Amino acid sequence: MSAQRKDRRELFFVATLLLGILILFMLPIGYVLVQNHFASIRAHRILVHARVLIQQDGLPLTVDEMNKFTTPPPLSENAAPLYDKIFVNFNQNPQWSLLERQTYPLLDAWLGTTPFSGFTNPPLLPTAMTSAQQKSLIHVAEQYVQSARAQFPLTAKAVSLPYCNFQRNWSLGSNLTFPEYTQARKLVRLLLLRALLLDRAGKPLEALQQIDLGVKVAKQIGSAQCLSPF
């Protein structure tokens, strides 16, 4: 009997020890779970408060509210359809992108040496261009500008309109894309290349007009609604 009691005491001791170890192991996990629970409660309260503030400011919170918030202006006053037409032209002419990429060194060098570029120091090019290379790139720029010349009157008309509202499918939420920003960069670079050629032709005022046009494009497309409701 004494041997059985001894075995029972040993088993009780081992079980108690294991239980203690388990409790010590679970305490940090429990602490983290409790902290996460309270953090979730705080986050929910903050979100509710943020929604109230947003509603007070009259900003949209749902897809339906977003659609009302972004009611398109009259077609005759909306620049977005004109930009869409320009961007379709870019997509339908992939050779323009090839020509554009070849002119990067030329455009960078020109922007780095013009007083209105904003550069404190001219950007460093990978390699110095020889006269022959420069002439070759000038020819590529002329070819590109000539090929895409139909975009210039469309751009001038677009920036003269008071609104720029791209119709978006807000129900896509975080999957919604904004391809016009990439295309707008291509358009602005095209305008800069035209300014470069005009400057080389001894027409600095006309070159400045093209740069001003590019600034207006950036401001106009940048003013378009791009915040998704949550």
Side-chain angles (χ1 to χ4, degrees):
M1 295 294 292
S2 61
Q4 290 179 348
R5 290 177 181 177
K6 182 178 180 181
D7 291 339
R8 288 176 182 175
R9 286 197 297 269
E10 290 178 353
L11 288 174
F12 179 76
F13 174 76
V14 171
T16 304
L17 180 63
L18 291 175
L19 181 61
I21 293 174
L22 181 61
I23 291 173
L24 290 174
F25 177 74
M26 292 299 295
L27 279 176
I29 297 177
Y31 176 77
V32 171
L33 291 176
V34 170
Q35 289 290 97
N36 288 342
H37 175 70
F38 284 111
S40 297
I41 293 175
R42 288 194 298 271
H44 178 71
R45 290 175 179 173
I46 292 172
L47 178 60
V48 171
H49 181 63
R51 286 178 176 271
V52 171
L53 293 177
I54 290 173
Q55 288 176 331
Q56 289 176 352
D57 288 338
L59 297 176
L61 283 171
T62 66
V63 172
D64 290 338
E65 291 175 358
M66 196 68 177
N67 289 331
K68 294 177 182 178
F69 187 73
T70 58
T71 302
L75 187 61
S76 60
E77 299 180 1
N78 189 7
L82 290 172
Y83 285 120
D84 284 334
K85 185 175 181 179
I86 294 171
F87 301 154
V88 167
N89 292 338
F90 274 113
N91 291 331
Q92 291 178 345
N93 292 273
Q95 70 276 14
W96 291 356
S97 294
L98 297 176
L99 294 173
E100 179 197 30
R101 282 195 290 269
Q102 294 180 58
T103 63
Y104 284 169
L106 181 68
L107 191 57
D108 288 344
W110 181 67
L111 288 175
T113 56
T114 49
F116 45 78
S117 66
F119 286 111
T120 304
N121 297 307
L124 298 176
L125 300 178
T127 56
M129 282 188 294
T130 64
S131 178
Q133 290 173 329
Q134 189 179 47
K135 288 181 181 179
S136 176
L137 292 180
I138 289 291
H139 176 70
V140 172
E142 290 173 342
Q143 184 180 357
Y144 176 34
V145 170
Q146 178 64 19
S147 299
R149 64 187 181 279
Q151 314 320 306
F152 299 127
L154 291 174
T155 304
K157 184 177 180 181
V159 299
S160 68
L161 299 178
Y163 303 104
C164 184
N165 187 299
F166 293 94
Q167 292 303 290
R168 311 188 196 279
N169 183 4
W170 297 108
S171 63
L172 293 176
S174 60
N175 293 321
L176 183 64
T177 59
F178 304 90
E180 61 272 9
Y181 294 121
T182 299
Q183 299 286 16
R185 286 196 293 270
K186 291 183 179 182
L187 178 58
V188 171
R189 283 194 291 263
L190 176 62
L191 293 169
L192 288 174
L193 277 176
R194 192 185 190 195
L196 181 154
L197 296 176
L198 288 169
D199 186 48
R200 288 181 59 86
K203 301 177 180 179
L205 293 181
E206 293 182 34
L208 284 172
Q209 290 174 356
Q210 296 305 304
I211 294 174
D212 180 62
L213 200 61
V215 171
K216 290 178 179 177
V217 168
K219 287 183 177 180
Q220 194 171 44
I221 292 184
S223 68
Q225 181 60 247
C226 63
L227 295 178
S228 298
F230 63 98

